Amino acid sequence: MNAHIERLVRDAHESGDYMPLIAEIPYARMLGIRVMRLGEDMIFHLPIKADNIGNPMLPALHGGVLAGFMEQAAMLHLMTSMHSQNFPKIIDFSVDYLRAGLSRDTYATCQVWRQGRRVGNVAITAWQTRSEEPVATARAHFKLD
């Protein structure tokens, strides 16, 4: 499996097509995560789906869906930045909800703060209409194999 994952990561990084890699992650596939590449930057996209709504009165995204999207984005970002052979394992995840994530497409960017031999730290920012107005920020710590 390691050679298979390494090949998917390499191919995704070279071609900009992340769908084969996302297909290997059941939760990312279920959420419908997409990845756009703008030069060296990766922008993660969570398309709006009725199943992702937590508060139908607003309507607003379920907080767990938003956090899960951000965690998956961080893992994918870390994998591609380090050309990983394995899926990093989550150690800790902390999210700050800043405003309601309304029923619309959501985007996220990630920044690797530290990548050692055993642990990687990633900061994630999610927004909907403008990147300057995030709906949530998060920090994720991963165990690297």
Side-chain angles (χ1 to χ4, degrees):
M1 179 103 160
N2 292 356
H4 174 66
I5 298 301
E6 182 179 25
R7 189 181 89 254
L8 288 174
V9 170
R10 184 183 61 247
D11 291 351
H13 194 65
E14 290 173 1
S15 70
D17 180 12
Y18 292 84
M19 292 314 296
L21 179 59
I22 290 170
E24 294 291 319
I25 308 167
Y27 190 59
R29 187 177 60 233
M30 186 208 55
L31 288 176
I33 293 175
R34 304 283 183 254
V35 180
M36 298 176 280
R37 193 104 193 183
L38 299 173
E40 289 298 312
D41 293 334
M42 294 174 70
I43 298 178
F44 298 89
H45 176 211
L46 176 66
I48 190 60
K49 288 175 35 179
D51 291 343
N52 293 344
I53 300 301
N55 181 344
M57 298 304 289
L58 287 178
L61 285 174
H62 188 284
V65 169
L66 183 56
F69 164 60
M70 295 172 77
E71 180 184 324
Q72 295 297 303
M75 181 182 68
L76 287 163
H77 183 85
L78 188 59
M79 287 180 73
T80 58
S81 71
M82 60 185 265
H83 304 284
S84 181
Q85 297 179 6
N86 300 301
F87 292 108
K89 294 169 184 62
I90 192 75
I91 296 171
D92 182 48
F93 185 82
S94 177
V95 63
D96 295 318
Y97 297 102
L98 305 174
R99 56 183 50 89
L102 300 175
S103 180
R104 55 178 72 131
D105 288 0
T106 305
Y107 303 91
T109 54
C110 302
Q111 179 184 4
V112 176
W113 279 345
R114 184 179 190 296
Q115 176 193 328
R117 290 184 304 144
R118 295 186 180 146
V119 177
N121 300 332
V122 182
I124 311 101
T125 303
W127 73 92
Q128 291 184 320
T129 54
R130 297 181 33 184
S131 61
E132 298 82 22
E133 295 176 1
V135 294
T137 59
R139 292 150 312 282
H141 304 267
F142 291 93
K143 179 181 181 293
L144 308 174
D145 290 329

